[in-house]
Amino acid sequence: MTTAELALTVRLNTSAADARRGVVRLHPEALTALGLREWDAIALVGSRRTAAVAGLAPAGTPTGTILLDDVTLSNTGLRENATVVVAPATVYGARSVSVTGSSLATHSISDTTLRQALLGKVVTVGDAVSLLPRDLGPGTSSADTTRTLSRTFGVAWTSELLTVAAVDPAGPVSVQPNTAVTWGGHPRTAAPSAPALAGSDAGFTEPERAAAPPPEDLVGVQAQVARLTEWLKLALDEPELLRTLGASPHLGVLVTGPAGVGKATLARAVLADRKVVEVDGPGIGALAADERLRRVSAAADAVAGGGVLLITDIDTLLPDPAEPVSTLILDVLRRVVDTPGVALITTTAHPDAVDSRLRSPEICDRELNLPLPDGATRRALLEVLLRTVPSEGLKLDAIAARAPGFVAADLAALCREAALRAASRASRDDADPVLLHDDLLGALEVIRPLSRSGTEELAIGSVTLDDVGDMVETKQALTEAVLWPLQHPDSFARLGVDPPRGVLLYGPPGCGKTFLVRALASTGHLSVHAVKGAELMDKWVGASEKAVRELFARARDSAPSLIFLDEVDALAPRRGQSSDSGVGDRVVAALLTELDGVEPLRDVVVLGATNRPDLIDPALLRPGRLERLVFVPPPDAEARVDILKTAGKSVPLADDVDLEALAEDLDGYSAADCAALLREAALAAMRRNVDAAVVTAEDVATARTAVRPSLDPAQVEHLRAYAENR
């Protein structure tokens, strides 16, 4: 080896921030020895030669170790603990890069999005590369790219691996903003055997029949499969029956449902034995108006002889508000539906975002909705996905229960992530690959369901109601009002009563209202949609009400779920008393409509929290809305002991620190105050000696002078009186 090369021991990098992003981590001394700076390119020579971007390893990493993610490790052809030769690499900005991937990826992801996902990565021909983008700083944030990938390809983009087929110039190259990144190896058009569909600019494809699952594998939507099959049979195979009865045999169907639930998959499975021309809505919707019209017209001409025109994600092609070209595209679709022997099927995950004219009787006169899978359906889907996988000790009921809001695409991604973990273990231990229950549990920590993509959620963790000290009456009230309706709906139906729609938690600040919500959600395996009151307020007319509708729509899509409205007094103040041009009044009206309107709120519970319940509009606290009021009292001495013990689990306390005696002396301290007291005591220990190993009673006494009780006795008594008056 030359002086510019190092032989380093390979370790697997398990950091989520670096996962499959083509970044390797080296000790600072190794970078210095190689004459490199952070984020320079390096060559890695193992069983094969590859290249990557070099970053600093975390503190504690041995000098002779290099951390590689699983994809980069695979590119070297080595296993963990092997030796890899590391050297500086000469890398040029790529003029062009060609990659191959699955058929689904090549048909879903545009070249522009593909370039953004690979931006900044160093690649070599033959390398595997993921779509997980690097965050390259201001102006090149990966947030827009991830949103686009989630919308067009579903959650499967997080585990999709591509292969670098060709680069220009030769050798390792870096993907730049002006690099032409294209798909290679998987044509975007139909096979040559279908001349009417040939041509790279056709903009539509004939689906691969082998990719469509048999209808019996479509778990949970058998009723929808039967209905669509019957509609197609009558309209295309037996139109004379409809004509005899005076009905037109034309058929236009809009298939709706949450993203990733399997709308296009259902359509392809039902249409497996028919001629189909498929139009990719997102791909064509991104083109210029005249090009969109030309490609839709070409697809209509291709199916004119008989068959089905399938348009996926039509909301991107015919958005609302309508564009001028939408009228012409709708005329083409109307002509398709009027053609004998031809049917139109469209899909969308956002029916409210589609041009309303699509639902006219002359085009899509029928609608088919695919629901979010419930627990039993999720278990059945997991059985289908894992039926050929070697496994041991899987508890699919438990996994399904912990996956509220997961659709079919989410569960497929979950299985892929679990398989990756099992494969990594098998490679490390040189054992047969077997999927274990822990692999699925670990994957649950990584995979984020599509129904929650782009939303803020409460960090739930593993704390349950059993871990919450004291508050016996409060915990019982929350269990009855929130968990029972979701876990025992049959009992409510048997007794002929409707479960509570919502609960209001109120009490002094810092007494654990948000902590209770986390514990409640963890106990019931609920997806939580959390929003602070002021976050929904917007200066634009109608924007706040729209935000409320979208919040409840996301909760319905991820049911069973919990909507947590923190500081609800800021969101729903008494009407008629604000000076905000009526925005607050309209938001209250939107909340009332969602809670107790025409559309029922099933498997969704609304939980509000406030320390000023008297400021909330009274209409929101009536039966059918936030009808259960639960008081969260300040902690007593016994509860303060539990709080101090929980907060002090990671704090090394000296033997002279008596938590029980301390708790007795903290009258007026809230739960937050107790936790802050221990934090301040730890800082006091550091001030005394920066190398201090324990926190002493003297440090706690010093902290007492800095952390004073925040509870206002008058406010506490006012809230107690409010509870008694209610």
Side-chain angles (χ1 to χ4, degrees):
M1 290 189 298
T2 69
T3 56
E5 293 181 349
L6 291 177
L8 301 176
T9 302
V10 174
R11 292 286 188 272
L12 186 64
N13 187 353
T14 58
S15 169
D18 292 340
R20 303 176 224 172
R21 285 176 168 84
V23 177
V24 302
R25 299 285 179 178
L26 291 88
H27 192 280
E29 293 182 11
L31 282 175
T32 302
L34 292 169
L36 298 174
R37 296 174 299 174
E38 190 176 23
W39 310 126
D40 282 347
I42 60 172
L44 303 169
V45 183
S47 298
R48 63 180 299 272
R49 188 182 186 93
T50 186
V53 176
L56 287 175
T61 304
T63 308
T65 296
I66 182 171
L67 303 180
L68 276 65
D69 63 76
D70 51 351
V71 173
T72 308
L73 182 61
S74 173
N75 288 337
T76 64
L78 299 176
R79 294 188 177 186
E80 193 174 7
N81 299 322
T83 299
V84 63
V85 176
V86 183
T90 301
V91 174
Y92 301 96
R95 287 190 290 269
S96 65
V97 174
S98 176
V99 298
T100 61
S102 68
S103 179
L104 179 61
T106 58
H107 289 102
S108 303
I109 303 173
S110 67
D111 293 345
T112 301
T113 302
L114 185 61
R115 180 176 63 248
Q116 290 299 119
L118 301 184
L119 195 63
K121 295 186 179 182
V122 175
V123 296
T124 307
V125 172
D127 279 355
V129 60
S130 79
L131 290 167
L132 291 168
R134 287 183 57 201
D135 192 347
L136 301 174
T140 57
S141 172
S142 61
D144 291 339
T145 304
T146 57
R147 280 194 292 269
T148 302
L149 288 166
S150 294
R151 185 179 66 250
T152 58
F153 190 39
V155 76
W157 74 270
T158 58
S159 54
E160 177 76 9
L161 289 181
L162 314 177
T163 301
V164 181
V167 297
D168 182 23
V173 295
S174 174
V175 180
Q176 303 293 312
N178 60 348
T179 301
V181 182
T182 58
W183 290 105
H186 287 275
R188 286 175 169 267
T189 56
S193 58
L197 306 183
S200 61
D201 62 344
F204 48 89
T205 66
E206 184 177 16
E208 297 181 28
R209 303 303 188 197
E216 56 270 18
D217 280 357
L218 300 177
V219 179
V221 291
Q222 289 302 319
Q224 289 83 351
V225 169
R227 197 174 309 155
L228 183 58
T229 302
E230 181 182 10
W231 289 346
L232 289 166
K233 178 183 177 183
L234 290 175
L236 301 183
D237 302 335
E238 301 174 348
E240 65 282 355
L241 294 177
L242 294 173
R243 293 193 185 96
T244 301
L245 296 171
S248 171
H250 80 258
L251 178 64
V253 182
L254 177 63
V255 184
T256 63
V261 79
K263 300 177 292 295
T265 301
L266 178 142
R268 294 180 185 123
V270 172
L271 299 172
D273 297 326
R274 298 181 184 274
K275 177 186 175 182
V276 181
V277 173
E278 183 173 334
V279 172
D280 175 36
I284 296 182
L287 302 175
D290 56 344
E291 185 66 10
R292 269 183 276 166
L293 178 61
R294 186 182 74 81
R295 297 202 182 190
V296 173
S297 298
D301 293 340
V303 79
V308 179
L309 176 61
L310 173 62
I311 305 178
T312 58
D313 296 312
I314 197 168
D315 51 286
T316 60
L317 184 61
L318 294 172
D320 184 29
E323 300 175 352
V325 73
S326 296
T327 301
L328 300 176
I329 293 176
L330 288 167
D331 285 340
V332 173
L333 299 184
R334 191 175 290 108
R335 172 166 56 86
V336 168
V337 173
D338 286 341
T339 303
V342 177
L344 170 67
I345 297 178
T346 61
T347 72
T348 180
H350 309 284
D352 294 337
V354 181
D355 192 326
S356 58
R357 292 175 294 177
L358 180 70
R359 289 186 171 93
S360 69
E362 295 83 13
I363 307 178
C364 287
D365 59 337
R366 306 182 196 188
E367 189 165 330
L368 197 64
N369 180 260
L370 273 61
L372 199 78
D374 57 17
T377 303
R378 291 195 296 272
R379 189 197 189 288
L381 285 168
L382 286 170
E383 286 182 341
V384 171
L385 291 168
L386 298 174
R387 62 187 171 192
T388 61
V389 176
S391 60
E392 287 182 6
L394 299 186
K395 302 173 184 176
L396 297 184
D397 284 329
I399 298 298
R402 295 189 57 176
F406 277 59
V407 294
D410 299 326
L411 294 173
L414 180 74
C415 294
R416 281 192 294 271
E417 178 65 25
L420 185 64
R421 292 166 180 265
S424 177
R425 183 180 60 253
S427 175
R428 182 174 61 251
D429 300 340
D430 195 18
D432 294 334
V434 177
L435 191 70
L436 303 178
H437 185 70
D438 287 344
D439 297 324
L440 289 171
L441 288 177
L444 277 173
E445 303 298 325
V446 176
I447 300 300
R448 178 184 175 88
L450 283 170
S451 58
R452 293 179 236 168
S453 122
T455 69
E456 292 295 329
E457 297 200 17
L458 204 64
I460 295 174
S462 58
V463 176
T464 66
L465 286 178
D466 294 334
D467 301 317
V468 179
D470 199 40
M471 296 191 190
V472 176
E473 294 181 0
T474 302
K475 291 190 292 184
Q476 182 62 28
L478 288 175
T479 300
E480 295 175 2
V482 178
L483 298 183
W484 283 5
L486 300 177
Q487 295 175 345
H488 308 290
D490 53 332
S491 297
F492 285 88
R494 185 170 59 252
L495 295 174
V497 294
D498 292 328
R501 294 283 179 82
V503 180
L504 178 67
L505 280 177
Y506 68 100
C511 288
K513 296 185 289 293
T514 304
F515 181 75
L516 271 173
V517 175
R518 290 194 184 103
L520 187 70
S522 181
T523 301
H525 302 300
L526 308 177
S527 59
V528 181
H529 301 264
V531 63
K532 292 182 180 178
E535 291 179 357
L536 291 181
M537 309 302 287
D538 198 293
K539 66 179 181 179
W540 303 108
V541 175
S544 297
E545 302 92 294
K546 181 181 179 182
V548 172
R549 291 195 301 271
E550 290 177 347
L551 173 65
F552 277 80
R554 290 196 301 267
R556 289 187 179 95
D557 285 346
S558 60
S561 60
L562 183 66
I563 297 177
F564 178 46
L565 305 176
D566 202 2
E567 307 296 345
V568 69
D569 53 286
L571 177 64
R574 290 175 179 267
R575 286 175 287 184
Q577 299 182 7
S578 62
S579 57
D580 56 4
S581 303
V583 173
D585 293 354
R586 293 196 297 272
V587 169
V588 174
L591 274 174
L592 297 177
T593 301
E594 293 291 345
L595 280 167
D596 197 20
V598 175
E599 185 177 0
L601 199 62
R602 295 190 178 94
D603 294 333
V604 177
V605 177
V606 181
L607 189 59
T610 181
N611 53 21
R612 294 297 305 273
D614 52 311
L615 298 183
I616 300 175
D617 191 274
L620 198 63
L621 305 179
R622 291 174 184 163
R625 295 154 187 177
L626 299 184
E627 60 186 77
R628 290 292 301 273
L629 275 67
V630 179
F631 180 53
V632 182
D636 56 18
E638 184 180 348
R640 290 194 295 270
V641 172
D642 292 335
I643 293 167
L644 289 171
K645 287 181 178 179
T646 301
K649 282 182 178 179
S650 58
V651 179
L653 298 173
D655 295 336
D656 60 350
V657 178
D658 187 348
L659 293 182
E660 294 187 1
L662 178 62
E664 289 286 350
D665 198 30
L666 293 180
D667 189 32
Y669 278 68
S670 68
D673 295 335
C674 294
L677 179 66
L678 290 183
R679 285 197 301 272
E680 183 62 28
L683 291 174
M686 293 178 64
R687 296 188 197 102
R688 172 173 50 82
N689 181 358
V690 74
D691 296 322
V694 294
V695 175
T696 65
E698 181 182 351
D699 299 324
V700 175
T702 303
R704 286 287 302 275
T705 64
V707 179
R708 308 303 301 168
S710 64
L711 291 178
D712 181 359
Q715 183 185 23
V716 173
E717 289 306 315
H718 172 73
L719 290 170
R720 288 189 189 276
Y722 185 87
E724 294 172 359
N725 293 334
R726 294 292 299 183

